[in-house]
Amino acid sequence: MTTLMSPDQLEAALRAIGAEQYHDKHPFHRRLHAGDLTKDQVRAWALNRYCYQRTIPLKDAAILARMDQVALRRVWRQRIIDHDGDAGDGAEGGLARWLALTDGLGLDRDYVTSMRGALPAARFACEAYVNFVQRRSLLEAIASSLTELFSPGIIRDRVEGMLANYDFVTEDILIYFGHRLDQAPRDADFALDHVTRNATTPWDQQACLDALRFKCGMLWAQLDALYLAYVEPGMIPPGAWRPGEAVSE
Amino acid sequence: MTTLMSPDQLEAALRAIGAEQYHDKHPFHRRLHAGDLTKDQVRAWALNRYCYQRTIPLKDAAILARMDQVALRRVWRQRIIDHDGDAGDGAEGGLARWLALTDGLGLDRDYVTSMRGALPAARFACEAYVNFVQRRSLLEAIASSLTELFSPGIIRDRVEGMLANYDFVTEDILIYFGHRLDQAPRDADFALDHVTRNATTPWDQQACLDALRFKCGMLWAQLDALYLAYVEPGMIPPGAWRPGEAVSE
């Protein structure tokens, strides 16, 4: 039933999953980039996506902790450095740059980092990601990072669309995404090469495809939760952020 | 800031959380019980709630594995027996009774138990529940079960409402709920007594309240995901069950 693919076939199968299930297709993102959201809806997005941003170095540390080869660890640790930055300058690193966005949108920083107002579904999705990289094989954990193959396109759409369509969005609060345009392709190239060279059985190849499907699903689920709560029909769960809350302006 | 409550005050605070955040308040349940859903929407509910039903004996086993007292384990193991039944008769146990419901709604049993078509958000919420009882204190794990204090009311509304309002619902496919009306109060009484007697510091009491809030949140998140996908606006995520799929009738 399952046959062995060549590395090129496996890459094509991975890219086909992105073409179908990556969250650039989600209606929330289409609205975000087209300028169809209110400032409060953009705040809800930035607030909740903090949960995901916070998870990235945690899941990368969990992956690092499973790598028994020095050569692999030397490469992978850069991801953690990219997101955590250096101690000397609190403004460095992806997580700090994300907080520049939530600051710029007027959200209280302590409120954001406490995740008190985050949607439970967003937190659960992020938790599932950490579980995944801890419990599945190292190969599957690495394969789950391959959504970065698809991120340059969505980042360009986002930066261009948000700058053009929202008067409250400026280049300096979108600084996170500029850095990701360099980092993500470097990381994705490494991971793709690793996966296509190491997934050498039909079973491993299918597991890598499933890992990417899982990852697309966890990204999608976060936007689903945002959409229901803050776009349509606007059902905010008990305890989650309500427009006006924790905002200074 | 945080003061010590008496056992009665703690019970009142726990019940107040249920009054505000328990999923009997969720619009999906109101529609389910009022007869406002189509058969496919009821199928979507039964299919996705299987993830939760499947999780119950797993989380109870995780709690059991943390109980260092014979007396506690003797009580808690009954929960697993209730859901798993006995080997001699496959139709016994809560999980088998849930499958009587999905069978009765015409859903393919292998499809249901594979969880292939379940909403990722429903699976993530259930996974968060297992994580919670494994990682928090045993007291918090037990406190998270206290939603059962509130379940008899919703079960009565459900059975009465579904029998009255759907011609495709019969008593024999709702057999799960009849058993829960006996089991849940017994379990809840024990857990409430344990929590109110053992949460003897302000910190422990607040942790127990937070545990119940977490549990209400994970139940709520499952209905949010159902609502978005199958009620309004009807955004079914990639890969999730679509009406007509895996149904024989």
Side-chain angles (χ1 to χ4, degrees), chain A residues 90-109:
Chain A
E92 271 302 310
L95 210 43
R97 290 185 201 110
W98 195 264
L99 292 171
L101 173 61
T102 56
D103 286 351
L105 294 169
L107 286 160
D108 181 79
R109 189 180 272 227

Side-chain angles (χ1 to χ4, degrees), chain A residues 110-175:
Chain A
D110 288 341
Y111 182 81
V112 172
T113 57
S114 77
M115 296 187 290
R116 281 202 309 279
L119 294 164
R123 287 192 275 116
F124 299 157
C126 293
E127 198 175 322
Y129 190 21
V130 176
N131 284 341
F132 187 94
V133 302
Q134 284 175 331
R135 295 178 188 178
R136 302 299 181 103
S137 70
L138 178 60
L139 185 62
E140 289 166 282
I142 292 174
S144 71
S145 76
L146 285 173
T147 43
E148 286 177 318
L149 285 172
F150 322 122
S151 70
I154 194 175
I155 289 178
R156 278 190 213 98
D157 288 350
R158 177 171 305 145
V159 171
E160 196 182 298
M162 290 183 75
L163 285 175
N165 294 315
Y166 300 109
D167 58 11
F168 54 86
V169 170
T170 52
E171 276 196 52
D172 55 317
I173 71 170
L174 295 184
I175 186 174

